[in-house]
Amino acid sequence: MTGRRIVSISLPRLAIESWQSRAARRGDAWPDEIPLALAAPGPHGPVIHAANRAAERAGARIGARAVDCRAICPALRIEPAEPDRDAARLARLAFWARRWGPWNTPDGDDGIVLDTTGAAHLFGGEAAMLAQIQAGFARAGLTAGLALAPTRGAAWALARLGPERAICTDPLPALAPLPVAGLRLSDETLLLLRRLGLRTIGDLAAIPRLSLMRRFARALPQDNPLVRLDQALGRAAEPLDAPEPAPEYSAEARLAEPVMDPSDWLPGLLEALCAQMAAADRGCRRLCLSVFRVDGERRDIRVAMAAPTRDPGHLLRLFDGRLERLDPGYGFDLIRLAAEAVEPLAQAQPGLDGAAPQGLALARLVDRLAARFGTAAISRPLPRESHVPERAETPGPPLAADPAPPARPDRPIRLLNPPEEIRVLYVIPEGPPAQFVWRRQTLRVARHAGPERIAPEWWHDRPGTRLRDYFRIEDDSGLRLWIYREGLVHDGRGGTPRWFLHGIFA
């Protein structure tokens, strides 16, 4: 027997309790003493998918036809089930349950399986941990049955058919009195076992295996009683396939009472996380701050860095102005900080004058700007093969290793995208306009240089695209602009040429 410890969490009323909580948020809370059932499509009409306790006492049964239950209980209210929303909430609950162990996954449509190997001592022992898990789901408004066992199959059976918060060390004695339904078999297989007189798991384990192997030789592994029995007893492996791996570097703070603001705990978490990464010569490129709310929800805030770092002071500044957007709900009692993207980062020696390594200041500036304005707002121009000005460069990462496009003194640094059309009042023949209107201002040209002719790129532009004649101009106030004339009078590609303002010189 291995040393694994698996917790199975059964949520038998997840669908109806989730529907009631959504109704309460809409201001339409449903009293517990009035019968309520959720219906799902069935082969012969809607069938009962979930019911509250009042409906169960009135005769509503899961799987029964809705019309039959309505005939038994005329006061029964039937609402459509929402399995997609229930599945989404179960997935969120599985992430929220990572506070008790890093490896877990939804189990069917009404359960969660959690690997707590080596973690029970953090919560005062296995019994205290199970009590804490059940209390946590109760605060979220959910009824939960729990069990802890060395195998996933044994924990599943005990959570649904065993005593309250069962703790098992030897699966066979604990599972022997339970019905064979605890082996997660189909209804057809369970009916066949009952006809054979095998009603408990102990009965199944006591008979010779050869006869059962012949009878179930063609059964699928997940519906073979012997395979399921071996998995429950630990004779066959049943891995836990978590949706994503646990973070390699993380720090968390467990709070005795729910709070609404994580600001006081964030500096300590950053210090602990950066110490872990420094011991392994690592730096992070992305951090995730997660708060686990008492209502079973989890909220995340992520910050990204342009270069790997493990400076707690710099990382703390990236959360400025972002914690206020966090929705705490009714409060949270667990705060976790995890490094989601980690890269090698060796110790850097400062210069003889005490200055930081070259490029560090730029990377930190980019991080602060991206945290405030978003990563899409920060970029660096990269060169591209084209003689059309707006195509000659493309936005790239702010710390890209590629060289920046060479600066040309005859080209403006700032280009308007798209170019803005100007209204010409008077134009010099074969030259720039002497006077034009731009943004409701009338500008008079004092000096000019040009033209610089740029022809269209036939391999990019569609047929009929007109050439451009660019001019560098300066008005009476000293404003220097870059304008162009699109097309010629007799080029056969349109009417009168149009004028545009494309750039502004510094």
Side-chain angles (χ1 to χ4, degrees), residues 12-13 15-16 35-73 75-83 86 109:
R13 298 184 177 276
I16 191 68
L36 171 68
L38 304 180
H44 303 290
V47 298
I48 300 299
H49 177 71
N52 64 0
R53 289 184 173 85
E56 291 176 352
R57 290 193 296 267
R61 295 291 180 267
I62 296 177
R65 293 201 309 163
V67 294
D68 297 337
C69 295
R70 178 69 63 80
I72 297 174
C73 178
L76 178 65
R77 175 179 172 179
I78 298 179
E79 295 288 337
E82 299 174 315
D86 296 337
D109 56 3

Side-chain angles (χ1 to χ4, degrees), residues 121-139:
H121 69 280
L122 301 174
F123 309 97
E126 293 181 341
M129 181 181 65
L130 291 184
Q132 187 181 122
I133 294 175
Q134 194 171 46
F137 279 93
R139 286 195 300 269

Side-chain angles (χ1 to χ4, degrees), residues 4-207:
R4 295 182 68 198
R5 304 300 285 167
I6 306 297
V7 173
S8 179
I9 305 172
S10 173
L11 304 171
R13 298 184 177 276
L14 174 66
I16 191 68
E17 290 171 343
S18 297
W19 187 93
Q20 289 175 318
S21 66
R22 291 192 293 267
R25 287 196 295 268
R26 296 193 301 265
D28 185 23
W30 190 256
D32 294 335
E33 63 273 8
I34 300 179
L36 171 68
L38 304 180
H44 303 290
V47 298
I48 300 299
H49 177 71
N52 64 0
R53 289 184 173 85
E56 291 176 352
R57 290 193 296 267
R61 295 291 180 267
I62 296 177
R65 293 201 309 163
V67 294
D68 297 337
C69 295
R70 178 69 63 80
I72 297 174
C73 178
L76 178 65
R77 175 179 172 179
I78 298 179
E79 295 288 337
E82 299 174 315
D84 293 339
R85 300 185 68 176
D86 296 337
R89 188 183 187 192
L90 183 63
R92 294 195 302 270
L93 287 170
F95 276 107
W96 176 74
R98 288 193 172 186
R99 53 173 52 196
W100 294 291
W103 304 97
N104 64 2
T105 185
D107 191 8
D109 56 3
D110 63 350
I112 299 171
V113 59
L114 175 65
D115 191 338
T116 61
T117 305
H121 69 280
L122 301 174
F123 309 97
E126 293 181 341
M129 181 181 65
L130 291 184
Q132 187 181 122
I133 294 175
Q134 194 171 46
F137 279 93
R139 286 195 300 269
L142 297 171
T143 302
L146 299 96
L148 191 150
T151 65
R152 179 176 179 176
W156 190 96
L158 291 170
R160 289 154 178 81
L161 303 171
E164 184 78 5
R165 297 199 298 269
I167 298 178
C168 166
T169 55
D170 188 0
L172 183 56
L175 298 180
L178 300 184
V180 289
L183 294 178
R184 298 171 291 170
L185 301 170
S186 66
D187 294 338
E188 293 79 6
T189 303
L190 293 176
L191 178 60
L192 178 57
L193 291 176
R194 285 195 294 270
R195 288 176 177 174
L196 295 174
L198 303 175
R199 300 186 176 276
T200 67
I201 297 178
D203 296 337
L204 182 65
I207 66 171

Side-chain angles (χ1 to χ4, degrees), residues 132-314:
Q132 187 181 122
I133 294 175
Q134 194 171 46
F137 279 93
R139 286 195 300 269
L142 297 171
T143 302
L146 299 96
L148 191 150
T151 65
R152 179 176 179 176
W156 190 96
L158 291 170
R160 289 154 178 81
L161 303 171
E164 184 78 5
R165 297 199 298 269
I167 298 178
C168 166
T169 55
D170 188 0
L172 183 56
L175 298 180
L178 300 184
V180 289
L183 294 178
R184 298 171 291 170
L185 301 170
S186 66
D187 294 338
E188 293 79 6
T189 303
L190 293 176
L191 178 60
L192 178 57
L193 291 176
R194 285 195 294 270
R195 288 176 177 174
L196 295 174
L198 303 175
R199 300 186 176 276
T200 67
I201 297 178
D203 296 337
L204 182 65
I207 66 171
R209 297 176 61 92
L210 184 59
S211 57
L212 285 177
M213 290 176 60
R214 292 172 179 171
R215 182 173 290 273
F216 294 99
R218 297 183 179 180
L220 296 175
Q222 63 269 23
D223 201 28
N224 190 317
L226 293 178
V227 174
R228 286 302 196 185
L229 179 63
D230 289 342
Q231 290 176 343
L233 298 182
R235 300 168 183 166
E238 186 177 9
L240 176 61
D241 186 16
E244 64 181 41
E248 186 177 0
Y249 302 97
S250 65
E252 62 183 34
R254 298 182 180 273
L255 312 178
E257 296 292 337
V259 299
M260 309 297 286
D261 185 6
S263 301
D264 294 338
W265 290 269
L266 186 55
L269 293 175
L270 284 169
E271 291 283 353
L273 181 63
C274 291
Q276 295 178 25
M277 293 188 292
D281 286 338
R282 294 290 188 272
C284 63
R285 291 287 298 270
R286 188 172 64 250
L287 279 182
C288 178
L289 176 67
S290 303
V291 296
F292 294 75
R293 303 190 333 188
V294 297
D295 60 355
E297 298 290 335
R298 165 180 158 175
R299 293 294 182 268
D300 298 331
I301 295 179
R302 287 179 170 84
V303 295
M305 284 67 74
T309 181
R310 53 173 178 265
D311 182 5
H314 172 61

Side-chain angles (χ1 to χ4, degrees), residues 348-435:
Q349 181 177 356
L352 296 178
D353 57 352
Q358 185 178 6
L360 183 60
L362 177 60
R364 292 182 175 180
L365 174 63
V366 170
D367 293 343
R368 293 196 297 271
L369 293 175
R372 182 172 293 257
F373 302 109
T375 56
I378 312 299
S379 62
R380 178 184 183 183
L382 299 179
R384 189 166 61 176
E385 291 291 339
S386 177
H387 60 268
V388 177
E390 61 266 26
R391 297 176 186 163
E393 61 183 41
T394 182
L399 297 182
D402 295 338
R408 292 183 52 176
D410 58 339
R411 296 284 178 91
I413 298 177
R414 180 187 175 191
L415 294 181
L416 301 181
N417 186 21
E420 298 181 8
E421 188 169 4
I422 58 178
R423 184 164 59 90
V424 174
L425 301 180
Y426 177 72
V427 64
I428 302 174
E430 300 300 327
Q435 193 173 357

